[in-house]
Amino acid sequence: MSIGTLIAHLWRRHRGALLLLVAGNAVFHWAITRVVPAASESGLVHDLLAMLPAPVRVLIGEDLVANLSARGFLAFGWVHPFPLLLLGVWAVRVSAGSLAAEVGRGTMDLIASRPVARSAQVAAAALAVVAGLTLIASAGWGGTALGLQTRVLEGVRARDLLPVAGMALLLFTSAGSVALFVSAVCREGGTAVSWGAGLLAGSYVLDYLARVWSAIAFLRPLSLFRYYEPQRILREGIASQDVAVLACVGAMGLVLAFAAFARRDL
C-alpha cells in the first residue's frame, strides 16, 4: 500500500468537509471586500471603532482602528475568528481522523495488516493536512482577488495579501503538526480532537490575553499566534524570525509524531 493510497483514503473521508471549508473561506474573504468602507465613510467608521472598549480594539487590531484603510480591513479579514476557525477545523480534524480515530474505530487493524510502514501513515496524514490547508488559504486569497476585480480599492492589490495568506498557511501547518503528534499518542479520535482543539484555542486565547493584560505579556511568545500579525506583515513584510519559529514548531511536532506512532501499541 502506497502513500498515494492512504491519501486517497483520507480524501474520501474528508472531502465533503474540505469543500465546505474552501467555499466558506472564499465567500468570507470576498464579502470582506464588499464591506470595506469607502474613503468618504472612513471618518465615521473610525469614530465608531474608537468608541469600542480597549479589549475589543485589541482583538480587531489597534492598527486598523488608528489607521483606518482598505488594507487594514482586508488584513483584519485574516485575523477574524471565522477564517481562523475554518483553517483550525481542518488541521485538527484530519490530524485526529488519520491516526487516533482509525485506532479507536478499529480500522487501523485493517490498515496495519497491509504492507505499509507506520511512517507512511504519518506522512500521508501530514500531506493531507498541508494540502487541505493550502486549498483553504488559497481560496481565501482567491475570494479577495475576485472581490478586488469587481471593486477597486485605493492603495491595495490582491497580491499584497499573498504574504498574509502564506503566513496563515504556515501557522496552521505548524498547529496541524502538533495536533498530529497528539493524534499519534491518543487511542480515540474524540480525545485527539479535544486536545488538538484545546491547544490551538489555548494558544489563541493566550495571545489575546497577553496583549490586553500587561501582567502576562511576557508569556505571549509561547503562543503560535504571536508570530502571525497580518497588519504588520502588510506594513513591514514577513519577519524571518516568525517564519523560523513556526517552521521549527511544525518540524518538531512532525518528528515527535513519527517517533510516537512508530513505537505505540495499535
Side-chain angles (χ1 to χ4, degrees):
M1 181 183 292
S2 65
I3 290 181
T5 302
L6 293 170
I7 292 176
H9 170 67
L10 293 173
W11 163 251
R12 288 190 293 271
R13 285 196 178 277
H14 303 288
R15 60 189 174 187
L18 178 59
L19 294 176
L20 289 175
L21 295 172
V22 166
N25 208 29
V27 171
F28 174 84
H29 286 282
W30 172 85
I32 287 290
T33 66
R34 304 294 93 189
V35 301
V36 172
S40 59
E41 303 168 334
S42 60
L44 174 61
V45 177
H46 177 273
D47 293 339
L48 291 174
L49 292 175
M51 295 171 60
L52 295 172
V56 178
R57 294 201 305 271
V58 170
L59 182 62
I60 294 174
E62 293 285 5
D63 289 344
L64 172 59
V65 177
N67 304 296
L68 192 64
S69 65
R71 287 167 64 90
F73 263 89
L74 294 178
F76 168 67
W78 287 91
V79 292
H80 189 282
F82 183 72
L84 297 183
L85 179 63
L86 297 183
L87 290 161
V89 164
W90 179 258
V92 173
R93 173 193 172 98
V94 177
S95 296
S98 58
L99 300 178
E102 299 282 12
V103 174
R105 284 193 297 264
T107 50
M108 182 59 74
D109 294 338
L110 297 175
I111 296 175
S113 67
R114 308 292 293 275
V116 55
R118 292 192 183 189
S119 59
Q121 296 178 57
V122 178
L127 289 172
V129 169
V130 173
L133 290 175
T134 300
L135 288 175
I136 297 168
S138 298
W141 181 83
T144 298
L146 179 62
L148 293 178
Q149 286 293 319
T150 54
R151 186 188 182 195
V152 178
L153 298 172
E154 184 178 353
V156 63
R157 299 163 298 179
R159 66 187 182 194
D160 296 339
L161 277 297
L162 276 174
V164 178
M167 283 301 287
L169 172 60
L170 180 58
L171 168 67
F172 283 94
T173 296
S174 178
S177 295
V178 175
L180 194 60
F181 166 62
V182 172
S183 181
V185 299
C186 289
R187 297 199 64 83
E188 296 289 340
T191 303
V193 167
S194 297
W195 276 100
L199 289 171
L200 185 57
S203 183
Y204 180 83
V205 171
L206 175 60
D207 179 65
Y208 173 70
L209 291 179
R211 284 185 288 142
V212 300
W213 188 10
S214 59
I216 63 170
F218 69 96
L219 294 175
R220 194 181 175 207
L222 297 178
S223 169
L224 292 178
F225 289 89
R226 158 64 180 83
Y227 308 98
Y228 171 68
E229 298 178 303
Q231 297 284 357
R232 181 164 58 83
I233 294 170
L234 273 181
R235 186 175 61 249
E236 304 172 7
I238 296 176
S240 57
Q241 178 183 355
D242 295 344
V243 173
V245 171
L246 292 176
C248 285
V249 171
M252 185 179 300
L254 192 58
V255 168
L256 291 174
F258 274 109
F261 196 69
R263 292 170 170 79
R264 68 165 297 172
D265 178 15
L266 300 180

